[in-house]
Amino acid sequence: MAKLTDDNDDDWVGQAKREKRLNSACDGAHSVVPFQCEECWIRNLTGRSMSLPHDTNLRMCIRRASLDAFAGKAKSTIASHVVG
């Protein structure tokens, strides 16, 4: 992930919080975002089982897309959909 810096080339004070938000989902996100595991995505896209290290880049792209979908939902949006 690219590091954000200020005008003095110092790390942006919110970098750690930003990375955590983009690399993890909040509780309940799985209930409002359609999810499929990486292995299933590769089977559906290529018609074969995942083969590492051959599919490492594809697996990373699928994981990033899933995390982006989860991170794109605000906690308040998810909280309004989750019961309990």
Side-chain angles (χ1 to χ4, degrees):
M1 173 178 298
K3 297 260 186 213
L4 298 177
T5 57
D6 62 15
D7 292 336
N8 297 327
D9 206 31
D10 294 325
D11 286 345
W12 179 53
V13 70
Q15 183 71 28
K17 184 177 177 183
R18 176 178 176 262
E19 285 184 19
K20 182 176 183 195
R21 185 182 65 80
L22 293 176
N23 287 316
S24 60
C26 61
D27 291 339
H30 67 285
S31 64
V32 296
V33 176
F35 177 79
Q36 184 170 281
C37 72
E38 296 152 0
E39 176 81 23
C40 293
W41 269 114
I42 290 174
R43 281 187 187 139
N44 289 333
L45 291 170
T46 65
R48 59 176 174 73
S49 292
M50 182 167 47
S51 171
L52 296 176
H54 180 293
D55 290 322
T56 299
N57 287 338
L58 178 56
R59 186 179 71 164
M60 288 175 18
C61 290
I62 291 168
R63 183 171 296 170
R64 179 78 267 157
S66 295
L67 287 171
D68 287 347
F70 288 133
K73 301 293 183 190
K75 287 184 181 184
S76 58
T77 301
I78 292 171
S80 70
H81 288 83
V82 176
V83 177

